[in-house]
Amino acid sequence: MTATATSPATFGNYINGQWQPAASGETFENRNPANQDDLVGLHAASGREDVDAALNAAQAAFDGWRRTSAIQRSAILHKAAEIISSRANDIGRELTREEGKTLKEGIGETNRAAQILRYYAGEIQQPDGEHYPSASNTTLLYTVREPLGVCAIVTPWNFPIAIPAWKIVPAIAFGNTVVFKPASDAPLSSVRLIEALAEAGLPAGVVNMVTGSAGQVGDPLVRDPRVVAISFTGSNAVGQELRKIAAERGTKLQLELGGKNPAIVLSDADMDHALQQVINGAMMSTGQKCTATSRAIIERARVDEFTTRLSERIQAMTVGDPQAPETQMGPVINAKAAERIVGDIKKGASEGAELIAGGERLTDNGRGKGHFVAPTLFSGVESDSFLGQEELFGPVLGVIPVDSLEEAISVANSVRFGLSASIFTRDLGKAMAFAREIQAGIVHINSETAGAEPQVPFGGYKGSSSYSREQGKSAREFFTQVKTVYMDPPPAR
Ligand code: UN1
């Protein structure tokens, strides 16, 4: 299918191995955030009936899939990885078109999805239980990890292929079945992931995708008693609601929510390196990562120099069509986000922080058709202010001056989030003190706050996550349950 002005491509739900329209026949639009005239495609606007069909399919497929050997499951994941890799340029370009991150990031993210598939294809072949000594020396006492059942996976638009992969792939690798709702702002990359899994030979019903709104699809999905586990990445408000729903129903829950991630720059740091890393952390993906850097906590001796150089670099950034090779930053996801971010910037300025770069919508040079917000820098941010505390989820960085490492750590820890944190220094003792004292699930020494490899746990402290972690061995913990087996020989006759 190719999109033309008159007949945009239409994408359905994937239920029980079949691509199909929503029961209502309704669709919703997926538009390019860099150019609202560009209709990327139409997707099924589903409802309760579609969710119900998907849950039935996932439930029916579970017995067959949990009995499929890990080695067979692994082969399917490997094949899907090859398919994604072979199409990475095309999928990455579509991802950029629907989400707005630069082409380099779109292709990079697609390759990351392939890497995640490969990781779990290997991980599923690792030991999945333990053998213990018993009080009786004839007892064989061991544990096995077994799948949970039907998992609900609800993902955000900011990593439209990598986050679906890092939730769906471990869920199915460990023998669960899935009903998956991608974010409506960027659903096409999810279609491409599901296509790859289907082409790789995933049996019908193991993964089912239902697109549509949070109210019509997400809500009935997470409340359904057939769902035994929920994995969600997204807003804090939805996360809070899910905590209640899961507690009432006894559903296993994995949440990845917001961040207010600090990068501490000590006066002995390599300033060129720190500058580049802080800018990357703050502005890549237009600042729309839960791991983005939003606070630069700088030792006072270097704060003026650092802020001036940050401001120069930020103002020199090329902001525009994310498909153009020279572009360094694309749009934010939609009009509502652009308005909210600009409103939050005004609020920050009204509270006394000094706006020194950006701060406004960019509408010249054709950018009026998209949702462009200038990369924005504040200096003199008070730690306890709105800008010092709240996640803006956009290209906005605030500089907070401090007098010592102790003060830097105390400022860094003063927020309700604790996802990722960085420090830039050459002092090993200070770096180690930071790693010990910082309240964050992911700690970087001399690298930016964003970025995550699939073989290690990912998740935050405090309000950033539930206590369960994603990825690495933690994915096995979340997507399986433990069975302890006491095996004794029958008495001798
Ligand atoms: C990254 O830092 O590359 O939604 C990944 C998010 C995170 C993923 C961040 N769950 O932004």
Side-chain angles (χ1 to χ4, degrees), residues 360-378:
E360 72 284 332
R361 294 283 292 268
L362 298 172
T363 52
D364 56 343
N365 299 325
R367 292 182 291 190
K369 288 190 170 173
H371 314 299
F372 291 93
V373 175
T376 297
L377 180 67
F378 279 97

Side-chain angles (χ1 to χ4, degrees), residues 306-465:
F306 196 81
T307 309
T308 306
R309 291 182 65 191
L310 261 182
S311 171
E312 283 164 10
R313 295 262 194 116
I314 284 174
Q315 292 186 67
M317 283 178 78
T318 310
V319 182
D321 176 4
Q323 302 204 39
E326 70 279 8
T327 296
Q328 294 170 299
M329 198 182 92
V332 299
I333 189 67
N334 57 34
K336 217 169 126 193
E339 272 160 40
R340 177 185 51 74
I341 294 164
V342 169
D344 285 350
I345 291 170
K346 285 202 179 104
K347 186 167 175 191
S350 76
E351 281 191 3
E354 195 189 346
L355 177 62
I356 53 175
E360 72 284 332
R361 294 283 292 268
L362 298 172
T363 52
D364 56 343
N365 299 325
R367 292 182 291 190
K369 288 190 170 173
H371 314 299
F372 291 93
V373 175
T376 297
L377 180 67
F378 279 97
S379 66
V381 172
E382 297 284 346
S383 178
D384 59 359
S385 67
F386 170 74
L387 278 180
Q389 293 288 317
E390 297 303 324
E391 182 181 44
L392 269 56
F393 219 70
V396 183
L397 177 66
V399 173
I400 306 178
V402 289
D403 286 313
S404 62
L405 173 66
E406 290 65 37
E407 191 191 350
I409 293 173
S410 142
V411 165
N413 285 341
S414 72
V415 296
R416 67 180 199 279
F417 301 110
L419 185 54
S420 62
S422 291
I423 192 166
F424 294 87
T425 180
R426 293 184 184 280
D427 185 321
L428 180 60
K430 288 182 174 173
M432 288 177 74
F434 167 77
R436 270 196 314 275
E437 298 302 324
I438 191 73
Q439 293 162 2
I442 299 155
V443 177
H444 290 263
I445 314 292
N446 294 316
S447 62
E448 61 161 303
T449 55
E453 298 192 39
Q455 69 278 18
V456 283
F458 178 91
Y461 279 26
K462 302 195 279 189
S464 288
S465 298

